Amino acid sequence: MAASTNQLHQELKHKFVLDKLRKLGVTHSQEGDPITELDYESLKYELVLASFKEMDVQSESNKWF
């Protein structure tokens, strides 16, 4: 039972990140692969990249220096 619970947890995390990417308008990875074919770690990487693109760098609160 623990294995199936862990698998369900992994699937939910995968779906969550996939949904976030879709909301940001991302359909393909930086390498051109459809996001639906990516594993969880690759999806997280693509979400970080997409999040950086969404930041308003002109805003004072988002400036690093």
Side-chain angles (χ1 to χ4, degrees), residues 1-15:
M1 179 149 184
S4 63
T5 303
N6 188 36
Q7 183 179 1
L8 176 62
H9 182 71
Q10 292 298 323
E11 289 174 15
L12 289 173
K13 291 190 324 184
H14 187 270
K15 184 181 178 332

Side-chain angles (χ1 to χ4, degrees), residues 4-59:
S4 63
T5 303
N6 188 36
Q7 183 179 1
L8 176 62
H9 182 71
Q10 292 298 323
E11 289 174 15
L12 289 173
K13 291 190 324 184
H14 187 270
K15 184 181 178 332
F16 175 79
V17 177
L18 193 58
D19 289 344
K20 294 286 259 183
L21 284 167
R22 286 181 175 146
K23 287 179 183 175
L24 291 172
V26 177
T27 58
H28 289 78
S29 71
Q30 297 295 309
E31 289 79 34
D33 300 320
I35 60 171
T36 54
E37 295 179 7
L38 300 178
D39 63 10
Y40 177 66
E41 293 300 317
S42 298
L43 285 175
K44 288 193 316 183
Y45 176 76
E46 295 298 328
L47 182 58
V48 168
L49 293 178
S51 298
F52 283 146
K53 291 178 183 176
E54 289 293 308
M55 268 189 214
D56 179 10
V57 294
Q58 298 301 319
S59 172

